[in-house]
Amino acid sequence: MFKVPVHQVAGHQAIGGKLGPLVDDDGRFYKPLQSGERGSTEKAFYTSFSSNTSIPEDIRRFFPVFHGTQVLEASDGSGPCPHLVLQDIVSGHLSPSIMDIKMGANTWPPQSPEDYIARCLEKDRETTSINLGFRIEGFHIYRSKESDLWKPEKQFIKSFSAQDVRLVLKKFVSSNASPDLDLNPDCAFASIVYGGSTGILAQLRELKAWFEVQTIYRFYSCSVLMMHGKGGSGAAVKLVDFAHVVDGEGVIDHNFLGGLCSLIEFISKATQDEYPNKTCLKDSENNRSSSDNCTCE
Amino acid sequence: MFKVPVHQVAGHQAIGGKLGPLVDDDGRFYKPLQSGERGSTEKAFYTSFSSNTSIPEDIRRFFPVFHGTQVLEASDGSGPCPHLVLQDIVSGHLSPSIMDIKMGANTWPPQSPEDYIARCLEKDRETTSINLGFRIEGFHIYRSKESDLWKPEKQFIKSFSAQDVRLVLKKFVSSNASPDLDLNPDCAFASIVYGGSTGILAQLRELKAWFEVQTIYRFYSCSVLMMHGKGGSGAAVKLVDFAHVVDGEGVIDHNFLGGLCSLIEFISKATQDEYPNKTCLKDSENNRSSSDNCTCE
């Protein structure tokens, strides 16, 4: 009944007898409750969020549906262990390309222990977090043939510069994505995945509008998952990983929001120069039709 | 000819023979060039900004006009010293109430020396910077009588909590502002200073729209000055202090922008509960007329 998910791009993975999440055939994703405060924080977040009536429905769709917790045999064979039962957000997507982007310049909640802050700060400075307000944590990209998957090593991704991030955001929507830096990404799916009224940019802008006013939660170290199926179909944005969410206490999550604005600007810019006359991403926000003489800079 | 400015609320002040800025009667503000990199960075910023044709005129008005540099006798009597010659942004305002707000959760440019980062980070965590994305650096508020000024000590301001910031943002637009925490601010000028199509919120939202796309500069440790004259007249926003501005390198200033969004939300919220039936600040963005049954939450 339970299987190891094939489409996980970051986080602990249930490979080689290690503890990791499981999925079933009914579209559910079983995430082992992390030990200590992380597990209790994530469970508390899902419980609070799923019952909070002030969350707009349009925003709720960006979060995995929560089905409670369930004790089941851990993937590492260590015995029964409590799992969060969540919607399997990639279920139903055939060959989905996925990118996991950890949001915020600062990944540490302000009240964390000193040694945790120091470790996070070091990672935030070594990666693009401090510079860009986000960092790519993992991704995999399907190419033309269904079996042809490019999934780079963690270490490769960790060393990304801002320029690498720009390039990978293009490769993510290309039919010729590859580790070969000399091969120019064709951005074949850029307009369908990123652009348009239902594309990823439109979805990120909806999220942004909510983050400009919501003061309920602060999402430290949370990820934006971007995904799309073959040919750029079904582009979707989801938020995952809530082990470091804290109470907003009446203050907006300026850390997440700043990174989100940066990601939006990055995706717009990174793809604009590739197809300036195909679709004007800036215009797509207002659902204006694309035209050959569109003048977005 | 040169005088010590009476309306300075933060920064080095030319009092008791110390080195600080001077003003003249022609509306110019002479800021001593800081030693080392800070001075050269600030001069380089003003030089770059004043000649950059890609800055929209609507945005340029938020910055002091730059008139070059001039060597003049330092305010501390230490001899001739180079000064930045700037527009005196409070010149022409009678009895201006002023607030200096240092922007960004992180006040340190990423490439700074380790000891500088450590010192900044400590201050950012001790004050409201990390929590709110901004901190109040200084302010003074004129009350009913022209001579009646409330200008608190630096130490008092440094210890502000988020709740104190909320309260002071109300006092800033009240006719009965005082250090007495039990005296409720009357928010007499809130709608005229913060609201409306030319008020401070509208101006901050204009700035925000620019920060969402500009990738030329990153304004670390820069301040937003908010000011208004007697009775709430002439509400204005200016940016000052550019000693830590760095090249944007194609990335938006998500650190400043996040803090700006937080400040906008804070001012909206802090004043809404005081006069929900007078003016609806959220609606004022769209220049809709206020009404007694306005329903902004």
Side-chain angles (χ1 to χ4, degrees):
Chain A
M1 181 193 177
F2 298 112
K3 297 174 297 189
V4 172
V6 290
H7 297 308
Q8 204 186 340
V9 297
H12 305 281
Q13 296 179 35
I15 300 169
K18 283 194 212 151
L19 184 62
L22 298 166
V23 292
D24 67 14
D25 288 330
D26 297 328
R28 297 199 169 187
F29 183 89
Y30 300 82
K31 182 175 181 178
L33 209 59
Q34 292 178 73
S35 60
E37 217 176 318
R38 292 183 190 202
S40 56
T41 299
E42 186 152 37
K43 186 183 164 189
F45 169 76
Y46 273 114
T47 306
S48 154
F49 187 85
S50 62
S51 65
N52 191 325
T53 53
S54 72
I55 311 292
E57 282 309 310
D58 285 353
I59 293 303
R60 204 173 279 287
R61 73 189 170 100
F62 292 118
F63 293 77
V65 178
F66 176 56
H67 300 288
T69 57
Q70 189 176 322
V71 173
L72 52 107
E73 187 65 29
S75 67
D76 62 354
S78 62
C81 151
H83 288 66
L84 296 165
V85 187
L86 304 169
Q87 172 194 10
D88 181 6
I89 52 181
V90 298
S91 159
H93 286 74
L94 197 67
S95 312
S97 292
I98 304 180
M99 187 176 291
D100 179 309
I101 301 174
K102 192 176 281 239
M103 301 301 293
N106 301 329
T107 58
W108 43 278
Q111 303 309 325
S112 308
E114 289 303 316
D115 58 335
Y116 182 77
I117 292 178
R119 280 202 311 276
C120 286
L121 184 62
E122 197 183 341
K123 258 190 242 171
D124 296 344
R125 291 176 64 195
E126 281 169 3
T127 61
T128 64
S129 293
I130 285 286
N131 185 20
L132 306 187
F134 64 88
R135 66 176 181 249
I136 296 178
E137 278 281 289
F139 65 91
H140 69 214
I141 303 174
Y142 278 94
R143 283 170 285 192
S144 34
K145 270 179 285 172
E146 194 161 321
S147 57
D148 191 6
L149 181 73
W150 174 36
K151 183 175 178 177
E153 294 292 319
K154 259 190 183 177
Q155 217 46 43
F156 173 74
I157 294 170
K158 261 175 108 167
S159 66
F160 277 178
S161 66
Q163 203 49 46
D164 295 332
V165 170
R166 274 194 188 91
L167 186 62
V168 166
L169 287 170
K170 290 181 184 179
K171 286 176 184 272
F172 185 61
V173 290
S174 294
S175 65
N176 65 342
S178 87
D180 181 353
L181 294 178
D182 291 332
L183 186 68
N184 261 342
D186 61 18
C187 289
F189 315 126
S191 79
I192 188 165
V193 172
Y194 289 142
S197 61
T198 59
I200 280 178
L201 273 176
Q203 294 182 51
L204 292 176
R205 287 184 179 118
E206 268 186 76
L207 260 184
K208 169 174 172 266
W210 184 61
F211 270 93
E212 283 175 345
V213 294
Q214 81 84 13
T215 60
I216 314 169
Y217 305 111
R218 298 174 75 163
F219 295 90
Y220 290 100
S221 208
C222 165
S223 283
V224 159
L225 276 195
M226 309 197 302
M227 64 189 101
H228 65 85
K230 279 198 96 66
S233 64
V237 165
K238 297 280 177 186
L239 296 194
V240 296
D241 294 342
F242 307 108
H244 301 280
V245 171
V246 298
D247 195 312
E249 293 182 342
V251 180
I252 67 163
D253 191 345
H254 52 84
N255 179 59
F256 186 106
L257 176 59
L260 185 57
C261 291
S262 176
L263 178 62
I264 288 170
E265 212 282 333
F266 236 67
I267 292 177
S268 309
K269 194 81 74 64
T271 55
Q272 257 167 40
D273 50 331
E274 285 302 316
Y275 58 111
N277 295 327
K278 282 193 201 163
T279 295
C280 174
L281 287 175
K282 277 198 180 163
D283 278 0
S284 73
E285 185 177 15
N286 304 320
N287 296 331
R288 275 179 265 166
S289 64
S290 59
S291 72
D292 283 334
N293 58 356
C294 95
T295 55
C296 57
E297 347 109 74
Chain B
M1 179 190 175
F2 298 112
K3 296 173 297 188
V4 172
V6 290
H7 298 307
Q8 205 187 337
V9 296
H12 305 282
Q13 296 180 36
I15 299 168
K18 283 194 210 151
L19 184 63
L22 298 166
V23 291
D24 66 15
D25 289 330
D26 297 329
R28 297 199 170 186
F29 182 89
Y30 300 81
K31 182 175 180 177
L33 210 60
Q34 293 178 74
S35 60
E37 217 176 316
R38 292 181 192 203
S40 57
T41 299
E42 186 151 39
K43 186 182 163 187
F45 169 74
Y46 274 113
T47 307
S48 154
F49 187 84
S50 62
S51 65
N52 191 324
T53 54
S54 72
I55 311 293
E57 281 309 310
D58 285 353
I59 293 303
R60 204 173 279 285
R61 73 188 169 101
F62 292 118
F63 293 77
V65 178
F66 176 54
H67 300 289
T69 56
Q70 189 177 321
V71 173
L72 53 105
E73 186 66 28
S75 67
D76 62 355
S78 62
C81 152
H83 288 65
L84 296 166
V85 186
L86 304 169
Q87 171 194 11
D88 181 6
I89 52 182
V90 298
S91 158
H93 287 74
L94 197 67
S95 311
S97 291
I98 304 180
M99 189 176 290
D100 180 308
I101 301 174
K102 192 176 281 237
M103 301 301 293
N106 301 329
T107 58
W108 43 277
Q111 303 309 325
S112 309
E114 289 303 317
D115 58 335
Y116 182 77
I117 292 178
R119 279 202 311 278
C120 287
L121 183 62
E122 197 183 343
K123 259 192 242 173
D124 296 345
R125 291 177 63 195
E126 281 170 1
T127 61
T128 64
S129 293
I130 285 286
N131 185 19
L132 306 187
F134 64 88
R135 67 174 179 249
I136 296 178
E137 278 282 288
F139 65 90
H140 69 213
I141 303 173
Y142 278 95
R143 283 172 284 191
S144 35
K145 274 178 284 174
E146 195 161 317
S147 57
D148 191 7
L149 181 73
W150 174 36
K151 184 175 179 178
E153 294 294 318
K154 259 190 180 173
Q155 215 47 43
F156 172 74
I157 294 170
K158 263 176 107 167
S159 67
F160 276 0
S161 67
Q163 203 50 44
D164 295 333
V165 170
R166 274 195 187 92
L167 186 62
V168 165
L169 286 171
K170 290 181 184 179
K171 286 176 184 271
F172 185 61
V173 291
S174 293
S175 66
N176 65 342
S178 87
D180 181 356
L181 294 178
D182 291 331
L183 186 68
N184 261 340
D186 61 17
C187 290
F189 315 127
S191 78
I192 188 166
V193 172
Y194 289 143
S197 61
T198 59
I200 279 177
L201 274 175
Q203 294 182 50
L204 292 176
R205 288 185 179 120
E206 268 187 76
L207 261 184
K208 169 175 171 266
W210 184 61
F211 270 93
E212 283 174 347
V213 294
Q214 81 84 14
T215 59
I216 314 168
Y217 305 111
R218 298 175 75 163
F219 295 90
Y220 290 100
S221 207
C222 165
S223 283
V224 158
L225 276 194
M226 310 197 300
M227 66 189 100
H228 63 86
K230 281 196 94 67
S233 65
V237 165
K238 298 280 178 186
L239 296 194
V240 297
D241 294 343
F242 307 108
H244 302 280
V245 171
V246 298
D247 196 312
E249 292 180 345
V251 180
I252 66 163
D253 190 345
H254 52 84
N255 179 57
F256 186 106
L257 177 59
L260 186 57
C261 291
S262 176
L263 178 62
I264 288 170
E265 211 281 333
F266 236 65
I267 292 177
S268 307
K269 194 78 78 59
T271 56
Q272 256 168 40
D273 49 331
E274 285 302 314
Y275 59 110
N277 295 328
K278 283 192 202 164
T279 297
C280 174
L281 287 175
K282 277 200 180 161
D283 278 0
S284 74
E285 186 177 14
N286 305 320
N287 297 332
R288 275 179 264 165
S289 63
S290 59
S291 71
D292 282 335
N293 59 357
C294 97
T295 56
C296 57
E297 346 109 76

